[in-house]
Amino acid sequence: MRLLSILYVLLLTGALYGQGEAYVRGVVRDQDGTPLPQANVLIPAESRGTTTDVDGRYRIAVPSGRSVTLRFSYSGRLEEEVTLTLSDGEERVVNIGLRYRTMEPVVVPGVRRIIDVGMEPLNPRVGVLNPSPTPGVEALLMGQIGVAMRNELSSGYSVRGGNFDENLVYVNDIEVYRPFLVRAGQQEGLSFPNADMIEQMQFSSGGFEARYGDKMSSVLDIHYKRPQGFAGSASAGLLGGSFHLENDMLKKRLRQITGFRYRTNQWLLQGLDTQGDYRPVYTDFQSYWTYDLSPTVELGFLGLYSRNRYGLVPSNRETEFGTFNQALRFTVYFDGQEVTQFETMFGALSVNVKPNRDLLLKFIGSAYNTYESETFDIQGQYFLDELERDLGSDQFGEVARNLGIGTFLDHARNYLNATVYTLAHRGTLERGNGVLQWGGDVKSELIQDRLSEWTMIDSADYSIPLNLGEDLELNYVLKSRLDMESIRASAYVQNAWKWNTGPKRWWTLVAGARAQHWTYNGQTVVSPRARLTYHPGWQRLNADSTITELDYSFWVAGGLYYQPAFYRELRKLDGTLNPDIRAQRSIHFLLGMDRRFDIWDRPFKVIGEVYYKYMDDLIPYQVDNIRIRYLGTNNARGYATGIDMKLSGQFIDGVDSWIGASVMSTREDLLDDFYYRRYNAAGEEIFAGFNFDQVAVDSVRVDPGYIRRPTDQRVNFAMFFQDEMPKWPTYKVHLNLVFGTNLPFGPPNGERYADTLTTGLYRRVDIGFSKQLLGAAGQERSDFLGKVKNMWVSLEVFNLLNINNTIDHTWVTDVSGRFYSIPDFLTPRRFNLKLVAWF
């Protein structure tokens, strides 16, 4: 009997193994082509499966010689099943595109399913292994058409000549803001969007729909996940970490996703020229809940608490700059400290009603509050020296002579409390060949601002500016107490149509208008907008008589884009408010095309746009690091024109890369600015500190006309490239490369026409090397680590070439009035080690 039992087990085992084994691999994407990480791939008959990696790729073993069904699922997407039969040892590629659920509270994806609205989808998961010190998902905008970023410490970005205040950012259909008082990237901290919680992220650099708000440059539209099961992630590195959990409850009627982020830039900031005790601590907690009250009604809540605190006790600074003919060294010894803090609270309650499959009604109530404080007393004693430049001298590189000695004292006690209450409604009706959308909102804005800041400069025992009287005159003073209450009301309506004119040939039109009224200045603005797209459905007959589809699209877009002032735009340089401020206006004209194609059986897309934007009623501004200081009057007109191009695709299967390039010119004309050229008796033009004879005997009035705007970067190039080792796909390399030409700048507190100097080029290379520790084929674990679906470790090198990029300039002067501009450099080469896991 024992022998028979052994033979039976051996025969049974042989029969099981005799079935053989095959493999299925591929990429799971959404309907927009974006890879879906952590998507589920299940064999229902065997109750086993796997999940996709960060690039949406999977590989699973299946029995051979019989029919096998694979089920693909992802949060917020419809499940797909594939049935196939494979022979023993066969490996088949099956790529899946999961469609959006029609019952999603956000039906915009459903709109995009049939209508081209000009929004470019972005994959927030790419940012997980993106080797960039830029905090937040904004790092993914580098390389998108029209986007320029020049500060790795800030999430701010410029789009087609606009500043960051001209960009819209939405999370779950609610506009979000960044701190008001922030003046340097190291103070800013974490931005609002949490990448771990994002399900969908889309971007437009101009010509966007009427349903988006009143800004002149761009829109970033983000929606958080609605979980369909339990999942989570965790990350930790030298710059901080994050953690998130998501799950559904009560038979999938209740869903929640919660995330926590912690970040510290201390390791980065220690490489700056200014040495000292840096104490940056940025924390953020967010939670999003949805509950199905009935099959047609959903209740949602989004809450956030964020605290960004930046402390600095500086000790000294040494910066070398200039040219070989005049090499200079700026040395400062500091006393004092700075403490800056931004505390933000946000809550939003939404109700989504879907009476039938074609109609969605959404109602939102939200409250946003930020309390900001900026306090510092910093004294610096500086020495400006010229260095020995004779290569044959024993003192080469040492101080040859002193050009100036002085002391400055910076003081600030600035406090701001801003609260915004919003009631909003959104509606969408899908009908026939089109989609009708409408909405409106009312915002109540309450702002309390207390400003007290001043600067004193003492150069060689003389206070600058020099006052021969008894009073001490400070170089800069700003004191004000401001309170503002106002209400904004806006509404929009738009419709989208699609007309099929032949096989795979169609036209689409998106047209609408929005209006806004602001009680502070009593102005009402109306903005019509439209976009017309043509898909020709071209085909090419190949030499082997096969037909290749040529997936081209062409579009023209335009509209009127007003930007009513928010608080900062209407505050003048002297700290007072301008009640007569008007909305800035920009008229967009866009002409673009894209083509989707396959190379090496992998998807690629090329896109190009040319544009012209005419702007009037502009509010001129000056840029101090990342702080934007508005002049507070509508006294300028301008334009921006250029061409943007982008190539994106998968040079490696399932791994996204892209290259973006832009050429642009943006200028403005201040309507009331002029200056005089003064000449002495010898006919020489007088410059303070340079001419011996400073007595003017003649002058000529000069009207500057069109001058470069502060964001006039003529050429911008950005590349994000990912690769893997051919025989070891768990080893990957990620490369960021950015190049930007110069920007204009000038002396502080000067007129805009004085910004005739130019910064240096912006050049930066960041690289990351990653290794997949868990989640790939052959990395299965039976211990507690088997609960981990995916795990990566990454070594990142920031600023690989160690190039000194300039963000701002420190100005010093002597008693003769001569100014010296000392560059403030960004971070040098630094390293980061990061561990990321999904479960």
Side-chain angles (χ1 to χ4, degrees):
M1 290 297 296
R2 181 179 301 174
L3 180 60
L4 289 175
S5 299
I6 294 173
L7 289 174
Y8 176 77
V9 172
L10 290 175
L11 289 172
L12 179 61
T13 305
L16 291 174
Y17 279 93
Q19 291 181 355
E21 194 174 52
Y23 290 92
V24 180
R25 65 179 177 89
V27 180
V28 180
R29 302 182 177 91
D30 64 14
Q31 61 197 35
D32 297 317
T34 303
L36 298 175
Q38 303 306 305
N40 297 306
V41 183
L42 179 69
I43 306 177
E46 300 185 9
S47 298
R48 66 178 179 89
T50 185
T51 59
T52 59
D53 63 15
V54 69
D55 301 311
R57 298 188 298 181
Y58 73 94
R59 187 173 186 266
I60 187 171
V62 299
S64 62
R66 63 182 177 89
S67 177
V68 177
T69 298
L70 294 178
R71 179 181 299 162
F72 301 84
S73 62
Y74 188 80
S75 171
R77 307 302 195 276
L78 294 173
E79 293 182 350
E80 292 281 348
E81 289 190 353
V82 175
T83 301
L84 65 169
T85 303
L86 281 72
S87 58
D88 189 20
E90 181 182 354
E91 182 163 332
R92 185 174 300 180
V93 176
V94 177
N95 296 322
I96 293 293
L98 298 182
R99 295 176 298 163
Y100 294 100
R101 292 180 180 270
T102 57
M103 288 300 293
E104 280 292 287
V106 181
V107 299
V108 174
V111 175
R112 290 185 177 84
R113 204 159 53 236
I114 60 173
I115 304 292
D116 177 15
V117 295
M119 299 292 288
E120 184 74 9
L122 304 176
N123 183 5
R125 313 303 184 269
V126 174
V128 175
L129 296 176
N130 184 4
S132 172
T134 302
V137 296
E138 290 81 5
L140 296 179
L141 297 178
M142 194 177 300
Q144 305 305 317
I145 60 172
V147 178
M149 303 180 72
R150 297 179 65 100
N151 187 346
E152 65 271 12
L153 297 176
S154 170
S155 59
Y157 52 93
S158 169
V159 179
R160 291 177 173 170
N163 63 46
F164 184 76
D165 291 341
E166 298 176 21
N167 303 318
L168 286 163
V169 180
Y170 286 92
V171 174
N172 287 5
D173 292 326
I174 304 166
E175 185 179 356
V176 298
Y177 311 91
R178 79 166 180 175
F180 293 85
L181 295 180
V182 62
R183 68 175 69 203
Q186 53 265 39
Q187 298 174 340
E188 186 176 329
L190 295 167
S191 62
F192 191 109
N194 185 335
D196 296 331
M197 301 172 64
I198 295 176
E199 180 172 33
Q200 182 186 11
M201 178 176 171
Q202 295 170 320
F203 178 75
S204 172
S205 54
F208 45 87
E209 306 161 78
R211 69 188 187 92
Y212 292 116
D214 295 287
K215 293 290 182 75
M216 296 194 298
S217 289
S218 74
V219 58
L220 177 63
D221 191 7
I222 292 171
H223 291 281
Y224 281 171
K225 299 177 185 176
R226 299 170 70 250
Q228 302 297 317
F230 176 80
S233 69
S235 67
L238 298 179
L239 300 181
S242 65
F243 180 80
H244 107 273
L245 283 175
E246 59 184 86
N247 69 298
D248 58 359
M249 297 163 278
L250 302 179
K251 298 181 180 180
K252 297 186 179 296
R253 293 184 63 187
L254 178 64
R255 298 162 293 273
Q256 72 82 29
I257 180 169
T258 300
F260 173 78
R261 293 181 292 171
Y262 167 81
R263 184 175 177 87
T264 173
N265 284 342
Q266 187 173 20
W267 172 241
L268 282 175
L269 301 179
Q270 287 175 351
L272 298 176
D273 284 349
T274 298
Q275 298 296 301
D277 182 14
Y278 288 92
R279 304 167 187 169
V281 178
Y282 317 123
T283 55
D284 170 279
F285 177 83
Q286 298 185 44
S287 189
Y288 179 46
W289 294 70
T290 57
Y291 178 68
D292 295 335
L293 296 175
S294 73
T296 60
V297 180
E298 180 192 75
L299 181 68
F301 173 77
L302 173 62
L304 168 140
Y305 174 77
S306 174
R307 183 174 181 266
N308 296 326
R309 190 178 191 277
Y310 172 78
L312 169 62
V313 180
S315 57
N316 65 281
R317 167 184 175 175
E318 183 175 283
T319 302
E320 295 187 357
F321 64 102
T323 63
F324 180 79
N325 291 329
Q326 188 181 34
L328 302 175
R329 176 184 293 164
F330 180 63
T331 307
V332 189
Y333 298 97
F334 295 102
D335 293 297
Q337 68 171 338
E338 172 187 351
V339 177
T340 300
Q341 181 169 301
F342 310 122
E343 189 173 25
T344 302
M345 290 175 286
F346 173 84
L349 188 66
S350 64
V351 178
N352 303 300
V353 182
K354 198 172 182 65
N356 55 63
R357 60 174 297 178
D358 298 324
L359 177 63
L360 173 70
L361 304 175
K362 185 170 187 176
F363 304 90
I364 306 171
S366 68
Y368 169 88
N369 175 261
T370 178
Y371 179 75
E372 305 176 10
S373 63
E374 181 186 44
T375 61
F376 55 78
D377 286 289
I378 295 179
Q379 175 183 272
Q381 297 175 317
Y382 67 85
F383 302 84
L384 183 62
D385 302 310
E386 185 174 3
L387 304 181
E388 177 60 57
R389 62 182 185 274
D390 185 0
L391 294 175
S393 173
D394 295 336
Q395 302 299 316
F396 176 75
E398 300 297 328
V399 175
R401 64 189 182 100
N402 178 263
L403 299 179
I405 292 178
T407 300
F408 62 84
L409 177 60
D410 290 331
H411 165 91
R413 294 292 185 273
N414 299 330
Y415 304 94
L416 183 140
N417 192 330
T419 303
V420 179
Y421 299 104
T422 303
L423 292 176
H425 165 62
R426 303 282 186 269
T428 302
L429 176 63
E430 297 194 30
R431 50 177 189 172
N433 67 335
V435 180
L436 175 66
Q437 292 178 281
W438 67 91
D441 58 61
V442 178
K443 295 182 180 180
S444 173
E445 300 168 354
L446 301 89
I447 298 176
Q448 295 178 331
D449 193 11
R450 305 293 183 261
L451 295 173
S452 176
E453 58 183 58
W454 49 261
T455 298
M456 189 192 79
I457 297 179
D458 185 316
S459 179
D461 294 330
Y462 288 92
S463 177
I464 304 298
L466 182 61
N467 189 336
L468 299 180
E470 296 181 356
D471 296 332
L472 177 64
E473 185 175 352
L474 298 175
N475 181 267
Y476 165 72
V477 179
L478 176 59
K479 289 181 179 291
S480 67
R481 297 174 61 89
L482 302 173
D483 295 276
M484 190 187 82
E485 295 185 14
S486 65
I487 294 177
R488 298 176 194 263
S490 64
Y492 71 87
V493 60
Q494 70 176 46
N495 199 68
W497 299 268
K498 180 179 181 180
W499 300 280
N500 293 309
T501 57
K504 298 184 179 181
R505 183 183 305 119
W506 64 79
W507 290 84
T508 64
L509 173 65
V510 181
R514 66 178 296 112
Q516 183 182 124
H517 177 77
W518 190 26
T519 61
Y520 185 80
N521 61 0
Q523 185 182 21
T524 300
V525 296
V526 179
S527 304
R529 305 171 186 177
R531 176 186 178 93
L532 179 66
T533 305
Y534 175 56
H535 189 278
W538 291 335
Q539 296 178 336
R540 182 182 63 206
L541 181 63
N542 301 317
D544 58 357
S545 299
T546 60
I547 295 177
T548 300
E549 303 289 343
L550 302 179
D551 192 355
Y552 283 89
S553 291
F554 303 89
W555 61 84
V556 58
L560 193 57
Y561 292 80
Y562 281 97
Q563 182 166 328
F566 201 48
Y567 174 68
R568 291 200 302 175
E569 288 97 316
L570 59 89
R571 193 180 74 188
K572 300 180 183 179
L573 295 179
D574 61 4
T576 60
L577 300 181
N578 179 9
D580 299 321
I581 203 77
R582 299 185 305 278
Q584 301 181 88
R585 185 175 67 170
S586 176
I587 303 175
H588 290 198
F589 300 96
L590 300 176
L591 183 64
M593 63 80 63
D594 68 28
R595 183 192 176 191
R596 300 172 187 265
F597 55 95
D598 289 341
I599 300 179
W600 312 302
D601 294 325
R602 291 190 286 272
F604 282 81
K605 179 182 178 181
V606 61
I607 182 172
E609 280 190 347
V610 293
Y611 62 91
Y612 178 82
K613 298 195 296 185
Y614 173 78
M615 298 168 282
D616 59 6
D617 277 339
L618 289 177
I619 306 173
Y621 60 89
Q622 300 170 342
V623 178
D624 177 12
N625 199 304
I626 68 169
R627 182 174 66 161
I628 301 172
R629 304 176 69 237
Y630 290 93
L631 304 190
T633 57
N634 301 95
N635 64 334
R637 61 188 176 189
Y639 68 87
T641 184
I643 180 171
D644 300 321
M645 295 163 288
K646 178 189 172 186
L647 171 66
S648 59
Q650 298 179 0
F651 294 93
I652 300 298
D653 189 27
V655 181
D656 290 334
S657 300
W658 60 77
I659 300 173
S662 300
V663 179
M664 179 199 67
S665 174
T666 179
R667 293 177 174 267
E668 65 183 2
D669 178 17
L670 277 68
L671 304 180
D672 55 359
D673 66 333
F674 61 90
Y675 64 94
Y676 288 93
R677 296 184 184 274
R678 301 183 304 123
Y679 298 90
N680 58 25
E684 300 172 336
E685 185 176 356
I686 298 175
F687 297 97
F690 287 88
N691 303 86
F692 179 77
D693 184 1
Q694 295 280 310
V695 179
V697 299
D698 194 10
S699 63
V700 175
R701 173 170 165 155
V702 178
D703 295 304
Y706 278 93
I707 59 177
R708 296 178 65 185
R709 301 194 78 196
T711 53
D712 182 31
Q713 181 172 284
R714 189 59 45 85
V715 177
N716 183 70
F717 176 86
M719 179 179 71
F720 175 62
F721 181 76
Q722 300 185 92
D723 201 356
E724 64 184 29
M725 299 186 69
K727 295 184 179 180
W728 298 281
T730 59
Y731 290 89
K732 287 185 171 60
V733 61
H734 319 267
L735 179 70
N736 263 326
L737 187 151
V738 183
F739 170 82
T741 52
N742 59 57
L743 293 175
F745 75 98
N749 302 321
E751 300 290 343
R752 276 283 295 115
Y753 58 74
D755 295 349
T756 58
L757 304 175
T758 57
T759 65
L761 302 176
Y762 184 85
R763 298 154 294 170
R764 185 177 180 88
V765 178
D766 301 319
I767 193 169
F769 305 93
S770 62
K771 170 68 172 72
Q772 187 174 10
L773 304 179
L774 293 173
Q779 293 183 336
E780 295 80 5
R781 299 286 294 264
S782 59
D783 54 9
F784 73 97
L785 288 177
K787 303 291 185 180
V788 179
K789 298 178 181 178
N790 215 330
M791 181 183 290
W792 290 79
V793 63
S794 177
L795 174 64
E796 301 170 333
V797 184
F798 303 140
N799 197 356
L800 177 67
L801 304 181
N802 202 30
I803 297 174
N804 286 329
N805 291 307
T806 302
I807 183 58
D808 199 13
H809 291 79
T810 297
W811 292 83
V812 297
T813 185
D814 55 24
V815 293
S816 67
R818 181 174 181 179
F819 281 96
Y820 296 88
S821 171
I822 295 91
D824 297 331
F825 296 126
L826 287 164
T827 56
R829 183 189 300 121
R830 308 300 279 176
F831 299 88
N832 183 40
L833 186 65
K834 180 168 62 177
L835 180 68
V836 186
W838 293 267
F839 50 87

